[in-house]
Amino acid sequence: MTERVHYDWVVIGAGPAGQKAAIQGAKDGVRVLVVDQGRAPGGECVNRGTIPSKTLRETAQHFAALERRSAGVLRCELSPDAQLAGLMLRLDEVRDAHARTLSEQLKRNGIDFQQSRARFVGERELELRTPAGAKTLVTGDKVFIAAGSRPRTPDDIPVDHELILDSDSILSLVYLPRSLVVLGAGVIAVEFASIFAALGVEVTIVDRYPLPIGFMDADLCTGFVRAFEGRGGRFLGSTKYRSVAPDGVGHVNVELETGEVLNVEKVLSALGRVANLRTLSLEATGLAPTERGHLAVDSHGQTQVPGIYACGDVVGPPALASTSMEQGRRAARHALGRPVPDEELGMVPCGIYTIPELGSVGLSEAQARERHGDVLVGRAAFKELARGMIQGADDGFLKLIADPTGTRILGCHVLGDGAAELVHLAEVAMLGGLPVEVFVERTFNFPTLAEAYRVAALDILALRRGDLRAAA
Amino acid sequence: MPPEPIDLIATLSDRAHNGKLTLPVLPIVAIELLASVDDDDCDARSLAERVQRDPSLAAHVLRIANSARFAPKEPIVSLTQAIGRLGMGTLREIVISVVVKGSVFKVKGHEEYVEKLWDHALLSGRLAQEIARARRANVEAAFLCGLLHDIGAPVALQGLVDLCKETGFCLIERAMVQTIAGLHQEIGAKLIESWKLADWVYAAVRYHHQPEDAPNHRELVRTTALADALAYWLEEDEGEGLPPGMEHAADLELYEEDIQSVVERGSKVHAEAKANA
């Protein structure tokens, strides 16, 4: 007979959203069960996503920086038989340590973890099945769906994980390919494209839109393309593929609508991700995915079914680890009856771990002009800063956007080393309602890239004075 | 007077450790090919050139390219044509299989037993490949580990045959099977070392019966172990009842339905390959 158990909360998925929801509940005395298909908590983020790709990126970044900073004195080239795993030597260590920390965190908070596949058999009743096939029926007063996502595979791309890979299998390559076509130009696509390009692979990005990562400020997008092409990459924007097929001799032909055929060793299909809802039997709850395959929720993560919450990648964009954690936390607080802000997540910083890195917070220039009219934009090139010169950060820049009076900061966008960290300074200034002058009047460590704020702020102040003079 | 009884496992193990066990030497083309799994330096032309150096191998490849599986409209007469028809991946698999079989899987007087070992190796390779595909792990590496995991078995058998010849013992089947079971991992690992293959192949060959002891590449070792168990199940029990190897499923994050589809795809590919062998 199938065993039956009851928990206060059942959380499906042990990625960033699920973990935060579970911990928030457990800290309030709630009895929580976390269920995940994987053997340890962490989700795709630890096993196939953020952690592995960032570990490889770390190596690629040092590799690229070594040549650049030695002013060409050192020529770096990987041997053709360099194994990819050899470039991620610390991966197992990092992954194990991270998984261990997460497991301990769950244990410390008295949260039960079970490796199983879950499917709804009632509104808040689930059947859990272990890899060995043992079944348990579990009910929860509240259920959190934080099942994450997987790569989307369009029907016309025969992903075989040998020649044509997706973002989950790309890091399983034993050797670095000599050439790679990346289909798509979203976050995952550009991150992998720039990492492989930095490692000396001939990379071509093919995307239907004119610029990559279209939701970012246009200057960051063009800056990325410039830097990527400067490192030998090729960006084919406004270009659609007609077909993708193995050529029969160990390579892949990517035929473009322009008629050009790219014959490459590997193809990475990075055309978005889909929510992991397929195996959950959502129909048993009365819930149905939206047209885009996500779950619709309110600002507290509540679905249409009382007591069922959803958070993380299953609710759709932005699907970042950082926002997923916050969604999980908010959903849990709401379930506990604790105060939660009514508005959406609001200002969320965005870090894209390309080489060079991109960081963004607040409005893009186009959004700011649309909402506020003639905004003032201050710029600082890293190559004009002492720290930037030392680092050889030729591509880097910071762009600060202020309202038309040149006082209120509306957005900040950074390209270059440490961009994802640097934007936090602007975020805090924006949250605190600090004026642009704060970056001129305060002292920053020297030499640091934070000086870019001062340069960009001075730029805005100069524009402001110019405007005032023009008005006089 | 009958010879003194000896401990076969201990004697053979000593020989392996002291370098007194004859380890088969692979043709150069095979060593290059084994080292070039997923190596993008090994393109179609260089592969054709390498195969060309071994006329009997080239003939074998052409025979397979002309077989019913690939059903060419016109006969294939050159290796370059064969590569075009079969694809690099398939050709590389054929070449590796042919050379490994020809160099290692042949023990005079035990042809039937060795043939069975070979069938098991091939099926394990196919299943490992499908397990890797289901896990989005490296497919070619998994095939090689599955194919070579029991490579120590025919070498151990040859060692036993040689030992019996020297000592005058008559090899009884039970002792033979026991000795091979006890030593094939150790001897296989020695062979992989002597062929200077990658450390992940070594790990799969050395630890596929004790994946938890593998110091590294544990997922690949478990993939090999599961493929090995599934292959035996298909061969011995014809896939009846529950699939074995479920103790590896949790670590590999595979569920019953995933294993079911691995078995279906692996068996299908294997049957096709066998029909055309």
Side-chain angles (χ1 to χ4, degrees), chain A residues 340-407:
Chain A
V340 190
D342 273 332
E343 74 272 18
E344 298 293 330
L345 284 182
M347 189 171 57
V348 174
C350 177
I352 298 185
Y353 297 93
T354 39
I355 300 173
E357 194 169 299
L358 309 176
S360 201
V361 68
L363 301 179
S364 67
E365 187 178 337
Q367 288 168 332
R369 288 199 186 284
E370 200 183 306
R371 292 187 207 175
H372 298 274
D374 289 334
V375 293
L376 302 184
V377 180
R379 292 167 202 276
F382 285 1
K383 63 183 174 196
E384 289 167 10
L385 306 173
R387 183 79 207 176
M389 287 173 204
I390 294 165
Q391 291 186 347
D394 293 344
D395 311 314
F397 66 84
L398 180 145
K399 175 176 169 182
L400 202 58
I401 301 166
D403 69 351
T405 67
T407 320

Side-chain angles (χ1 to χ4, degrees), chain B residues 62-94:
Chain B
L62 286 174
R63 188 176 68 77
I64 292 173
N66 281 303
S67 70
R69 180 181 176 194
F70 302 101
K73 283 184 192 146
E74 300 288 328
I76 293 175
V77 291
S78 77
L79 277 174
T80 322
Q81 253 184 310
I83 292 171
R85 177 155 291 274
L86 304 176
M88 266 278 279
T90 311
L91 187 77
R92 193 148 56 186
E93 272 178 24
I94 293 170

Side-chain angles (χ1 to χ4, degrees), chain B residues 6-15 160 163 175 177-183 186-187:
Chain B
I6 58 164
D7 181 339
L8 285 177
I9 295 186
T11 314
L12 207 57
S13 178
D14 277 352
R15 287 190 168 197
L160 279 176
L163 189 62
V177 171
Q178 263 179 7
T179 310
I180 291 173
L183 285 179
E186 190 183 327
I187 291 177

